[in-house]
Amino acid sequence: MVRTSAGILVFRRRESGAEVLLGHMGGPIWENRDQGAWSVPKGEYTPEESAWKAARREFREELGMDPPAGRFESLGSARQSGGKVVTVWAVPGEIDPRSMVPGTFTMEWPKGSGRIREFPELDRVAWFDMDRASRRILPAQRVFLERLSDLLEADPGEWD
């Protein structure tokens, strides 16, 4: 069975161009990484839940807030290197990264120790211009940045 995730990519316009809100993946595996360690806020779901409902739920779970109200536009799906299929929507909005209250997950750490520890799903969120976002986001998710750029270029006035 194919694993699936869904998420929401919040963006905003600046004079210098679009910026996107990305989350740095939490936990000890990602703590000392920067390039390729940022993600669209997203999470897994099962066939009993729609991708759209999962995207909204996961946004709330990972950031501790509702996604911005606004026009959501599908950025489609992409398969990540591990085989998971990720589906993403974009929405314009303003979010203060300091207002994030991350959800948590548990895992055995250090691996093999028998100790179960709790970690934030995302340990921080930040706004990035498209060039910086492209360098920091998981490589398999760059396609969502490209699709958003195409969308904004095709109808620049629609998103103001």
Side-chain angles (χ1 to χ4, degrees):
M1 180 177 221
V2 175
R3 291 175 39 220
T4 54
S5 281
I8 295 174
L9 181 60
V10 179
F11 68 93
R12 64 186 182 185
R13 296 267 200 176
R14 292 292 182 252
E15 284 186 28
S16 59
E19 294 181 338
V20 293
L21 185 74
L22 299 178
H24 185 271
M25 292 183 285
I29 295 168
W30 299 99
E31 71 182 337
N32 294 320
R33 296 183 184 179
D34 187 50
Q35 310 292 7
W38 293 77
S39 174
V40 171
K42 62 166 184 51
E44 290 191 15
Y45 66 99
T46 62
E48 294 79 35
E49 183 178 28
S50 73
W52 172 241
K53 284 186 177 180
R56 295 178 64 80
R57 174 184 53 76
E58 285 292 336
F59 192 93
R60 282 188 293 274
E61 287 179 10
E62 294 208 348
L63 276 71
M65 65 184 77
D66 287 329
R71 176 180 157 198
F72 286 82
E73 188 72 32
S74 174
L75 298 179
S77 298
R79 186 174 300 275
Q80 297 196 149
S81 59
K84 183 189 298 184
V85 175
V86 179
T87 303
V88 172
W89 284 265
V91 64
E94 283 290 337
I95 292 178
D96 181 350
R98 296 170 298 182
S99 65
M100 178 188 80
V101 180
T104 60
F105 69 96
T106 58
M107 68 182 282
E108 179 185 28
W109 193 260
K111 194 171 183 116
S113 69
R115 293 180 48 214
I116 303 298
R117 296 186 46 201
E118 187 174 66
F119 299 97
E121 298 229 16
L122 298 175
D123 56 22
R124 61 192 181 275
V125 295
W127 288 101
F128 295 101
D129 65 40
M130 295 301 243
D131 287 337
R132 288 178 52 223
S134 184
R135 289 191 301 274
R136 286 184 167 78
I137 199 167
L138 288 165
Q141 291 182 20
R142 282 188 193 124
V143 67
F144 299 120
L145 301 178
E146 294 164 7
R147 291 174 186 169
L148 176 60
S149 290
D150 291 346
L151 187 73
L152 295 174
E153 286 176 22
D155 201 351
E158 182 72 24
W159 298 99
D160 292 334

